[in-house]
Amino acid sequence: MNDFFAFLYETLSYLNTFSDDMYNTNAYVPTGLSSVAISLAGMTIYYYLINHPRLNRWFHWFGMSLILAVINFGIAWIMSDKALFALYSEQGQEMPYGYEIFTFSLINAVWTLVFNFVFSMIIKWWSRNCDHTPF
Amino acid sequence: MNKLYVIGIGGTGSRVLKSLTMLLAAGVKINASEIVPIIIDPDLAAGDLERAVSHIRNYCKVYDALDHNTASSNTFFGTKINTSLIPSLRIPVKNTADVAFKDFIGLALMKDDKANYNANHALASILFSERNLDSTMEVGFKGNPNIGSVVLNQFSSSKEFKDLAEAVKKDDRIFIISSIFGGTGAAGFPLLAKEIRKEKSKDENAALQNVPIGAVTVLPYFDVKADENSEIDSTPFFSKTKAALSYYKKNLNEVNVMYYIGDKPSNLYANSEGGAEQRNDAHFVELAAALAIIDFAQYGDADFPVHEGKLQHSSIYKEFGIKNEAKQITFGDLDETTNLIVKKPLTQFTLFCKYLNEQINDSLKQPWALKHKFDENFMTSAFYRSNLKAVKDAYIEWLSEMSANSRAFTPFLLAENKSNVFALIKDEKPKKSLIGKSNYSLFDDVLNDKQRNLNASASQPQLFMELFHAATQKLVKSKFRM
């Protein structure tokens, strides 16, 4: 699973030692799983709990997607920062990443948009009011 | 029952037929496979007649566009109105255009050998006033049944009446609508009833003679403004009614079920002798009269044995009443039996019409519209843009006129109220929704739900009507427990 998420994240941008540290600490997995779970839960809520005829245009879906992407941006930030801070603390060093954490979080947000789309295509068909959303 | 021939005589006949058409559009059930509407009115330009004919034609166009298979649960436009027998819908009254009554009866020819006026002339002068004799008849008989009874005597010789006589079969029925206080209806009804029961020669179709006949005669329910230039005066409405009732009691033995409907006149209509200006607002009494037709259709055939034009049972007499004496009648003022017939269909159809007026253009991106292609093309199709819209507009106009009339029938709050759509029925609080959707978003939610059960192979008009019938049915059940 670590390899799978590493492939996802590093395909978009390989960030040298940051990516290696993430891989070696297995930090991709909880971030990736959280993102997938949040994306799935968010889309399920959109299609089956909100499921509202006034919120079923493509831009409503996109708005929901952006919210989930922002949430997962924050989660990636917190989780990667926590994992790498712990790694470097053990070594008695200061964590050297800042820009990399931002980039990784952004990549996670982009993947969240992709997850949202994929989950939408799978689950939308049984939604009463949103089965034509985003198209 | 097979066919129900509904013959409306005069302006009231047209207005009651209009009410019946609106009830049928809303899905009020009638125990007849089809309705055959016929209007007898010498005033071909009468506004009320024009409106009734136009509404019936539009109803038929909507009806013809629907599938009417047994699997359909849609009851909107559920009864066939058949206009093929008499496409014009009218039995013409001949020789009345631009002819003075005295010329019609040949008053000037009533002379003896020496060219002096004879006894016939004297009799005609006793029976008819100068004003009667000089009266023209292209706009009807202007409240003079004594003229009408002479002129209408000839309508049975028309091709249309003969076609009717040929068309009536066993198991069919005839219902006659007339007013008792005017001219055309008051004169035409007893004549028509007698003509139907007339003994036929053996080779003629005897079904007409023995057909069960129902009739509603509308007692005075409005006055007309006094106008010295008009021949119509409402002052003698009651005395004319009494005289006619007395005549019916002694001489009218042809009708199986006789309905009397009336109201204390509390409204004043413009005084119009006829023509396009004779266009009275719809009134609750006309709706009640239309309900008489539905009531008549409920009877079984065994209730009306008729042999060689003679009733084997005595006539049944019925009146219509409401529960509360209200100036503004709501559903709460109607008897339970009446509500059972009209409340649910009228509420469903009113919701449907209001949705079409207030919301549909904003909902064309909803799944129910996208999936079944209810798009701009559909909205501009003849079915939607011309036919359905015409009936919808007529229906709302009909309700609005009844609610503005006196006594008013005002069961619905018709004004646009998008923030409280289901505050529709007067004096009735809708149940609150617990699912976080309200007003037209709830309506769309239900449409989106119901569209999934549609049989996509049906025609688009059928799908449209079926969808809205199912959705409004669910909404009135959840909001009003109907």
Side-chain angles (χ1 to χ4, degrees), chain B residues 281-403:
Chain B
D281 284 351
H283 193 282
F284 178 70
V285 161
E286 293 145 15
L287 166 62
L291 290 174
I293 303 169
I294 288 160
D295 184 79
F296 174 65
Q298 305 305 319
Y299 282 95
D301 286 334
D303 297 323
F304 305 129
V306 182
H307 182 65
E308 293 183 349
K310 305 274 182 229
L311 306 192
Q312 302 300 297
H313 289 171
S314 52
S315 302
I316 300 167
Y317 296 95
K318 297 185 96 169
E319 289 183 302
F320 178 86
I322 55 175
K323 198 165 70 181
N324 302 320
E325 171 79 20
K327 285 195 170 162
Q328 305 228 324
I329 303 167
T330 63
F331 284 130
D333 301 311
L334 298 180
D335 181 70
E336 200 178 319
T337 322
T338 311
N339 272 333
L340 269 176
I341 296 167
V342 299
K343 188 176 178 183
K344 189 177 170 193
L346 289 184
T347 306
Q348 274 187 251
F349 201 67
T350 305
L351 258 181
F352 172 48
C353 291
K354 278 177 74 71
Y355 185 93
L356 298 189
N357 275 349
E358 298 166 11
Q359 180 59 31
I360 194 165
N361 288 329
D362 295 332
S363 289
L364 293 179
K365 298 284 183 195
Q366 290 297 324
W368 68 263
L370 292 170
K371 193 166 179 188
H372 300 285
K373 295 193 172 62
F374 298 128
D375 50 16
E376 285 301 318
N377 281 340
F378 177 76
M379 302 292 282
T380 53
S381 66
F383 168 77
Y384 184 84
R385 187 175 47 84
S386 303
N387 309 333
L388 182 60
K389 188 173 173 299
V391 178
K392 179 255 299 174
D393 290 344
Y395 176 81
I396 293 293
E397 181 186 56
W398 176 66
L399 285 180
S400 305
E401 286 182 2
M402 282 196 294
S403 73

Side-chain angles (χ1 to χ4, degrees), chain A residues 51 53-54 56 128-129 131, chain B residues 366 437 440-441 444-445 448:
Chain A
N51 188 20
R54 295 293 169 267
N56 63 1
R128 176 192 294 190
N129 292 304
D131 62 347
Chain B
Q366 290 297 324
K437 295 167 191 113
Y440 283 129
S441 66
D444 275 326
D445 181 66
N448 289 335

Side-chain angles (χ1 to χ4, degrees), chain B residues 107-329:
Chain B
L107 187 71
L109 305 173
M110 294 176 184
K111 292 180 178 172
D112 59 21
D113 300 342
K114 295 173 185 167
N116 295 320
Y117 287 124
N118 61 16
N120 286 339
H121 188 280
L123 181 63
S125 302
I126 292 168
L127 292 174
F128 304 104
S129 67
E130 281 292 321
R131 205 171 183 183
N132 284 164
L133 291 167
D134 290 335
S135 178
T136 55
M137 298 172 293
E138 71 273 13
V139 294
F141 309 122
K142 305 170 189 172
N144 295 300
N146 53 342
I147 299 179
S149 58
V150 174
V151 178
L152 288 173
N153 239 329
Q154 42 104 10
F155 71 77
S156 60
S157 62
S158 70
K159 177 188 174 298
E160 287 78 4
F161 187 82
K162 285 176 180 162
D163 289 343
L164 168 69
E166 284 298 311
V168 171
K169 300 276 181 288
K170 194 172 175 288
D171 299 334
D172 292 344
R173 289 186 194 176
I174 289 179
F175 194 92
I176 305 168
I177 309 158
S178 62
S179 69
I180 204 167
F181 57 102
T184 313
F189 162 51
L191 279 173
L192 179 61
K194 287 183 187 301
E195 194 58 41
I196 290 168
R197 292 280 185 242
K198 248 186 191 172
E199 195 175 347
K200 302 287 172 188
S201 59
K202 280 180 188 171
D203 55 335
E204 282 188 72
N205 181 5
L208 181 69
Q209 187 184 29
N210 295 326
V211 72
I213 300 177
V216 58
T217 190
V218 180
L219 309 177
Y221 64 104
F222 62 82
D223 283 333
V224 293
K225 287 177 186 161
D227 181 351
E228 59 185 25
N229 295 318
S230 170
E231 287 188 39
I232 296 178
D233 175 15
S234 54
T235 314
F237 275 180
F238 274 101
S239 52
K240 282 161 73 177
T241 300
K242 279 183 186 172
L245 285 173
S246 163
Y247 172 81
Y248 289 179
K249 187 182 175 189
K250 288 176 194 155
N251 300 294
L252 192 69
N253 305 309
E254 289 80 12
V255 177
N256 297 86
V257 189
M258 183 79 207
Y259 296 84
Y260 288 108
I261 289 170
D263 194 13
K264 228 180 280 172
S266 55
N267 51 346
L268 207 56
Y269 285 172
N271 194 325
S272 162
E273 291 186 340
E277 287 172 15
Q278 195 192 48
R279 186 186 155 110
N280 296 343
D281 284 351
H283 193 282
F284 178 70
V285 161
E286 293 145 15
L287 166 62
L291 290 174
I293 303 169
I294 288 160
D295 184 79
F296 174 65
Q298 305 305 319
Y299 282 95
D301 286 334
D303 297 323
F304 305 129
V306 182
H307 182 65
E308 293 183 349
K310 305 274 182 229
L311 306 192
Q312 302 300 297
H313 289 171
S314 52
S315 302
I316 300 167
Y317 296 95
K318 297 185 96 169
E319 289 183 302
F320 178 86
I322 55 175
K323 198 165 70 181
N324 302 320
E325 171 79 20
K327 285 195 170 162
Q328 305 228 324
I329 303 167

Side-chain angles (χ1 to χ4, degrees), chain A residues 9-132:
Chain A
Y9 290 125
E10 291 171 10
T11 299
L12 288 186
S13 180
Y14 178 69
L15 300 165
N16 300 318
T17 55
F18 172 86
S19 297
D20 293 342
D21 286 344
M22 287 290 287
Y23 182 83
N24 291 332
T25 55
N26 269 338
Y28 280 140
V29 176
T31 310
L33 283 178
S34 302
S35 299
V36 168
I38 286 169
S39 171
L40 179 60
M43 284 295 112
T44 305
I45 287 170
Y46 175 75
Y47 281 106
Y48 294 101
L49 207 65
I50 297 173
N51 188 20
H52 201 284
R54 295 293 169 267
L55 296 171
N56 63 1
R57 303 295 303 280
W58 69 268
F59 42 86
H60 299 125
W61 176 89
F62 192 66
M64 181 70 180
S65 245
L66 278 183
I67 290 169
L68 295 174
V70 168
I71 291 170
N72 280 348
F73 177 91
I75 284 187
W77 186 296
I78 292 164
M79 287 186 139
S80 60
D81 182 67
K82 197 176 166 189
L84 297 178
F85 181 81
L87 174 70
Y88 281 91
S89 293
E90 279 172 16
Q91 297 168 3
Q93 295 176 24
E94 197 172 316
M95 190 185 64
Y97 308 120
Y99 159 78
E100 289 85 351
I101 289 179
F102 175 81
T103 307
F104 171 67
S105 303
L106 205 61
I107 290 169
N108 195 46
V110 170
W111 275 114
T112 300
L113 292 177
V114 175
F115 296 152
N116 290 343
F117 183 78
V118 171
F119 287 136
S120 295
M121 290 303 107
I122 295 169
I123 66 174
K124 73 170 189 166
W125 308 104
W126 299 275
S127 170
R128 176 192 294 190
N129 292 304
C130 306
D131 62 347
H132 282 67

